[in-house]
Every structure is written in structure tokens, then in C-alpha cells.
Amino acid sequence: MANLNNAASQAIAKEQILFMAEKEMEYRVELFNKLTQTCFRKCAEKSYKDSELNMAENSCIDKCVSKYWQVTNLVGQLLGTNQPPM
């Protein structure tokens, strides 16, 4: 009977781990999508003349991403997670 309870406990623990991993992946995908949309909207020119970003757009995106991560980390620390999102 003890082995049955132990096996059930392990199965529940595995399910919880998988659930948490799925939630973490969803969070990271959402964070990445928000970062991409925000920085692209802010930095990329609306008239698409070239197939690549110019130097000013690249610089803006670099700064935007850096600031976005800094703020995300700060918010995480303020909320008590003490872990950066990545």
C-alpha cells in the first residue's frame, strides 16, 4: 500500500512540474512577444524602404530591449521573485 501511495505522490509531483514548466514557457513567450511588439513599434520606421533595419533602428532596438529587461527584472524583484525572467 505504501508503494502505491508513493507512486501516486510521484505522479502528482510530475504533473505539477509539467504544469509549472508549461506556465513558465507561456510566460516567457508572452514576455518575448510583448518585448518584440513594443520595441518594433517604437523603433522601426513605418515606411518599409529597406529589407533590413538601419543603424538608428538597430541602436533603438538594442536600447529598448535592454531597458525592457531591466524593468522586468526590477518588477520581479519588487514582487519578491528575486529571479530575472530569463
Side-chain angles (χ1 to χ4, degrees):
M1 188 68 159
N3 283 340
L4 187 58
N5 287 339
N6 191 21
S9 294
Q10 288 179 348
I12 291 171
K14 274 187 177 180
E15 286 181 29
Q16 289 174 336
I17 290 170
L18 285 174
F19 177 78
M20 293 302 292
E22 287 175 4
K23 289 298 173 188
E24 179 71 16
M25 183 58 81
E26 288 173 10
Y27 165 76
R28 289 176 187 254
V29 168
E30 181 181 349
L31 184 66
F32 177 79
N33 287 337
K34 285 181 181 179
L35 177 139
T36 303
Q37 291 168 359
T38 299
C39 293
F40 186 81
R41 191 175 332 121
K42 179 178 179 177
C43 298
E45 291 184 24
K46 304 304 179 241
S47 58
Y48 303 110
K49 299 174 188 171
D50 299 320
S51 61
E52 297 180 12
L53 298 173
N54 63 38
M55 289 292 277
E57 291 169 326
N58 276 322
S59 177
C60 179
I61 288 174
D62 284 343
K63 290 177 186 175
C64 180
V65 169
S66 177
K67 287 180 183 181
Y68 199 96
W69 283 121
Q70 288 174 356
V71 169
T72 301
N73 290 333
L74 180 60
V75 169
Q77 289 173 3
L78 292 174
L79 294 176
T81 60
N82 292 327
Q83 291 182 353
M86 286 196 144

